[in-house]
Amino acid sequence: MASLMQGRLPINQDLLMMQKGMLLRKVRSRSWKKQRYFRLQDDGMTVWHARQAGGTAKPTFSISDVERVREGHESELLRSLAEEFPLEQGFTIVFHGRRSNLDLVANSVEEAKIWMQGLQHLVDFVTGMDQQERLDQWLSDWFQRGDRNQDGRMSFHEVQRLLHLMNVEMDQEYAFQLFQTADTSESGTLEGEEFVQFYKALTKRTEVHEVFENFSADGQKLTLLEFVDFLREEQKEGERASDLALELIDRYEPSDSGKLRHVLSMDGFLSYLCSKDGDIFNPTCLPIYQDMTQPLNHYYINSSHNTYLVGDQLCGQSSVEGYIRALKRGCRCVEVDIWDGPSGEPIVYHGHTLTSRIPFKDVVATVAQYAFQTSDYPVILSLENHCSWEQQQVIANHLTEILGEQLLSTTLDGLLPTQLPSPEELRRKILVKGKKLRTLEEDLEEEEEEEELESELEGGQEADSELEAQLESEPQELSPRSKDKKKEKRSKPILCPSLSALVVYLKSVSFHSFAHSKEHYRFYETSSFSESKARSLIKEAGNEFVQHNAWQLSRVYPSGLRTDSSNYNPQELWNAGCQMVAMNVQTAGLEMDIYDGLFRQNGGCGYVLKPDFLRDAQSSFHPERPISPFKAQTLLIQVISGQQLPKEDTSKERSIVDPLVRVEIFGVRPDTARQETSYVENNGFNPYWGQTLSFQVLVPELALLRFVVKDYNWKSRNDFIGQYTVPWTCMQQGYRHIHLLSKDGISLHPASIFVNISIREGLEGDES
């Protein structure tokens, strides 16, 4: 089986050395450092480890789990151990999703290079694999697990055990019949290619054959016209069906003669249905497809709360890794809680708790490095400033010096704006959100005066010192809102002018009421709301909140009582047009599934355009009581079948799953609903449901669909198997596969569910 991958994988010296195995030191903390023997398996795709060479080995990771390999000096943990090990001997394996990084130290710089280069070579190879190669890789992984004595062949007993691991409950006689048919060498065992044939026989998709035969005159192939009919009638591809049919045949038909004759075989048809083009998520919504030239407040902005935390809020670890992960996943607004630190250096941590601390300058350096790796659109630094005047000065210096050209420190053209700039205008810019001593108008006036003074006076230095004295005296005059607050203000640190000046378009102001904001605030002033305050405002004054968010930015943050870093449902805040709905992105679950579902579209750039009725300052929309709009739709989902559904915990050889599918809709309150299929007993491999669920939706522009597969359990709550969330506006109709994701948002390839989606205009039973 290993030869399957090696046939395509260009083997080099590094990989051969890794396959021999090597002692590396695994580092979990400053006190936990242990030698382990790591070895790349012969398939070139999995790394196993043992306590020593020749010891009992167990799987560590699959190459498809790895996102990238980092050098030692990029690891906080390895940097803290620099006195014990040279940083050049260390490296970090970064995994997809929320899995913790793996820090390793080799015995020499040469050995570290072998592993770093070899792993990166394999990661690049896996990233470039097509659908068929990924399936071969998945089979190769299973073959490795089933082949207990690692002799490259599998007996029927090993195959039976493997089927159980793969979630297949099968009649023993039938399984043995398929085994014998596949064993063409008649050796009583299955080798690589024989195992593939056995798997193919096992996974024959009769439900797809039926669809194919409905459109194929001879049951053998789809002619170009037959395929066009299928795309038009079932897949609702409309006018583009003819051109698309040619394109898809060229892309998915495996045989050259089929391509030449413009026909699609059953294999080609299945390949299309399992591809990006056959996915429920419309491929046209995957790149940046929205207008990015509207003001910032017209977009939902992917925002993170307590970004520095990788655990809970009481004694979790603070780490720059939190910023790296948030920025890599498309967050465009990150939070920085800054407190006075030792030696005059500000630190970042969750105040008044036991969470660990990180230097502020390390956070800024990390943001500078990772801000634009995933998206070119602006990053907002939401500063929670608890520092003394002196350390605020240090904050301003670090921001200016480390971020350099990336930092936006004045309006784009030096002129007073009439609305917020667009993501397009702010490309590759980092904006500071925080308190500000004065208005933007006063700042700009002063800049003009400063320029005039400099040109008038020969001794520019005198002007500078005069200005500094003027600025230093200003906080006391400007910061109190009223005289009776003076006492309270005196006990708080006064805002430092140099830090205040770096806040341009995102001045933080307290919220009193919508009427007060309209009367006293400007469009570049932004208010923050706790989740409970925002919720009560939606109930009391939903339409006013919608209008407020059409001209000003709002940030909503999780309740301080969520010490476990849990999340709220972002949907009801989006319904009111709130832009920065901040989440604990480190915490997996339903709420983050919804969040990731919305931001999966538009190139994952972190900005999603709000529907037009949430961008209109005179909007009559009320999120709690939407007047039934003319765009109401009825959705029919036929849940047909499932493919290769994993067990929740593959380490336990317990019973096979009994899967059911739940479809959940999140949107305005009347649209929020859930329905589920019955469960299929003892079959996670190819369960068949064939059930139709029906939903009526008043405001489709705000709706998201979450498909969840659960393992039925009458004793307890059903166990989670996988999920996928898609915005209504990005959903394709027709026969579609939904490729499932784990709790951490990692692909569970090849696990999927096969559905038929149909959307009708209006509500069922509505004559209008």
Side-chain angles (χ1 to χ4, degrees), residues 566-579:
S566 61
N567 282 306
Y568 50 76
N569 182 343
Q571 184 69 48
E572 53 188 317
L573 291 318
W574 290 333
N575 292 345
C578 297
Q579 299 89 347

Side-chain angles (χ1 to χ4, degrees), residues 224-397:
L224 182 59
L225 287 176
E226 286 168 345
F227 190 37
V228 169
D229 283 347
F230 170 76
L231 292 176
R232 196 172 283 140
E233 288 171 34
E234 294 293 345
Q235 308 299 78
K236 306 289 187 279
E237 295 289 4
E239 295 302 306
R240 65 190 210 117
S242 304
D243 293 342
L244 187 63
L246 280 167
E247 218 177 283
L248 295 175
I249 289 171
D250 199 47
R251 204 173 294 162
Y252 300 112
E253 174 50 43
S255 81
D256 290 338
S257 64
K259 281 180 186 171
L260 280 171
R261 292 177 12 244
H262 299 319
V263 299
L264 196 62
S265 63
M266 177 60 207
D267 280 352
F269 183 64
L270 184 57
S271 188
Y272 151 67
L273 285 177
C274 293
S275 73
K276 278 265 183 282
D277 293 292
D279 194 277
I280 188 165
F281 204 103
N282 191 333
T284 61
C285 295
L286 287 172
I288 291 169
Y289 72 100
Q290 294 182 332
D291 174 8
M292 300 307 287
T293 62
Q294 301 202 26
L296 272 190
N297 53 298
H298 284 188
Y299 297 85
Y300 296 121
I301 302 171
N302 191 330
S303 303
S304 154
H305 179 61
N306 288 347
T307 315
Y308 44 86
L309 288 181
V310 287
D312 67 54
Q313 298 184 13
L314 292 180
C315 43
Q317 189 195 349
S318 301
S319 165
V320 295
E321 197 60 46
Y323 290 93
I324 296 172
R325 288 184 178 193
L327 292 165
K328 296 274 283 186
R329 65 184 296 144
C331 273
R332 299 289 85 192
C333 175
V334 295
E335 188 184 22
V336 195
D337 269 14
I338 324 167
W339 302 79
D340 279 358
S343 319
E345 277 295 336
I347 51 172
V348 173
Y349 79 108
H350 200 48
H352 312 300
T353 65
L354 300 173
T355 57
S356 56
R357 292 137 163 75
I358 33 178
F360 173 72
K361 63 179 177 194
D362 288 3
V363 170
V364 183
T366 301
V367 170
Q369 185 181 350
Y370 288 93
F372 305 110
Q373 285 195 8
T374 297
S375 165
D376 267 357
Y377 290 114
V379 166
I380 297 165
L381 289 184
S382 183
L383 300 189
E384 290 295 322
N385 168 17
H386 308 275
C387 291
S388 61
W389 202 96
E390 293 73 24
Q391 293 211 8
Q392 289 181 42
Q393 186 74 52
V394 178
I395 292 172
N397 291 345

Side-chain angles (χ1 to χ4, degrees), residues 15-23 37-40 115:
L15 299 187
L16 291 171
M17 293 295 289
M18 287 160 68
Q19 283 180 331
K20 280 183 183 164
M22 209 176 279
L23 267 180
Y37 185 76
F38 284 85
R39 181 176 171 269
L40 175 68
W115 277 88

Side-chain angles (χ1 to χ4, degrees), residues 406-642:
Q406 292 180 323
L407 181 68
L408 185 100
S409 53
T410 182
T411 57
L412 285 173
D413 49 10
L415 302 173
L416 188 67
T418 53
Q419 61 175 28
L420 287 173
S422 68
E424 193 56 50
E425 290 172 297
L426 293 167
R427 272 183 109 99
R428 299 190 76 82
K429 285 291 175 193
I430 295 171
L431 283 66
V432 176
K433 173 185 165 296
K435 294 213 164 40
K436 188 171 178 64
L437 289 171
R438 301 176 309 195
T439 64
L440 204 46
E441 288 84 336
E442 288 166 323
D443 267 8
L444 291 167
E445 270 172 38
E446 183 170 277
E447 277 176 33
E448 278 179 37
E449 284 169 27
E450 203 175 324
E451 282 168 23
E452 282 169 27
L453 274 169
E454 279 181 5
S455 58
E456 280 173 31
L457 295 167
E458 296 278 321
Q461 281 178 336
E462 285 171 47
D464 282 352
S465 57
E466 205 177 299
L467 270 165
E468 270 171 39
Q470 193 184 326
L471 280 174
E472 283 176 24
S473 68
E474 244 153 359
Q476 285 90 337
E477 292 167 41
L478 290 159
S479 54
R481 185 168 266 112
S482 58
K483 286 177 184 173
D484 60 352
K485 287 205 176 175
K486 271 190 174 172
K487 278 181 192 165
E488 183 197 333
K489 286 279 176 185
R490 263 191 213 121
S491 63
K492 290 185 179 176
I494 294 161
L495 190 56
C496 158
S498 57
L499 182 55
S500 167
L502 297 180
V503 175
V504 183
Y505 294 115
L506 297 158
K507 177 184 176 181
S508 299
V509 290
S510 303
F511 177 81
H512 301 285
S513 71
F514 292 123
H516 176 273
S517 295
K518 226 176 229 177
E519 201 178 325
H520 296 94
Y521 290 156
R522 295 162 171 83
F523 63 86
Y524 58 78
E525 293 175 316
T526 170
S527 299
S528 287
F529 304 85
S530 69
E531 58 173 289
S532 50
K533 177 69 175 168
R535 273 205 201 98
S536 64
L537 284 171
I538 291 169
K539 284 190 176 62
E540 293 159 21
N543 176 245
E544 283 181 85
F545 210 167
V546 165
Q547 292 185 357
H548 173 88
N549 288 326
W551 70 279
Q552 242 196 4
L553 280 165
S554 291
R555 179 176 183 271
V556 183
Y557 56 89
S559 152
L561 299 173
R562 294 182 181 274
T563 52
D564 58 351
S565 292
S566 61
N567 282 306
Y568 50 76
N569 182 343
Q571 184 69 48
E572 53 188 317
L573 291 318
W574 290 333
N575 292 345
C578 297
Q579 299 89 347
M580 295 180 278
V581 179
M583 304 286 277
N584 289 306
V585 298
Q586 73 272 26
T587 309
L590 159 74
E591 297 80 11
M592 276 313 298
D593 292 345
I594 296 170
Y595 209 79
D596 292 341
L598 179 80
F599 287 106
R600 189 164 283 126
Q601 64 185 310
N602 210 30
C605 76
Y607 287 85
V608 168
L609 193 61
K610 299 196 289 184
D612 54 4
F613 55 83
L614 293 180
R615 308 196 302 263
D616 173 6
Q618 271 77 51
S619 176
S620 60
F621 181 76
H622 193 302
E624 291 289 290
R625 297 185 292 280
I627 302 156
S628 179
F630 55 89
K631 290 180 179 170
Q633 293 178 331
T634 297
L635 169 70
L636 295 173
I637 300 174
Q638 188 194 7
V639 181
I640 303 169
S641 62

Side-chain angles (χ1 to χ4, degrees), residues 49 63 74 135 186 254 298 334 344 402-403 425 432 434 469 494 541 601 620 633 676 682 700:
H49 76 275
I63 298 299
E74 289 185 67
L135 187 61
E186 297 181 2
H298 284 188
V334 295
I402 298 170
L403 298 179
E425 290 172 297
V432 176
I494 294 161
Q601 64 185 310
S620 60
Q633 293 178 331
E676 62 188 36
N682 274 345

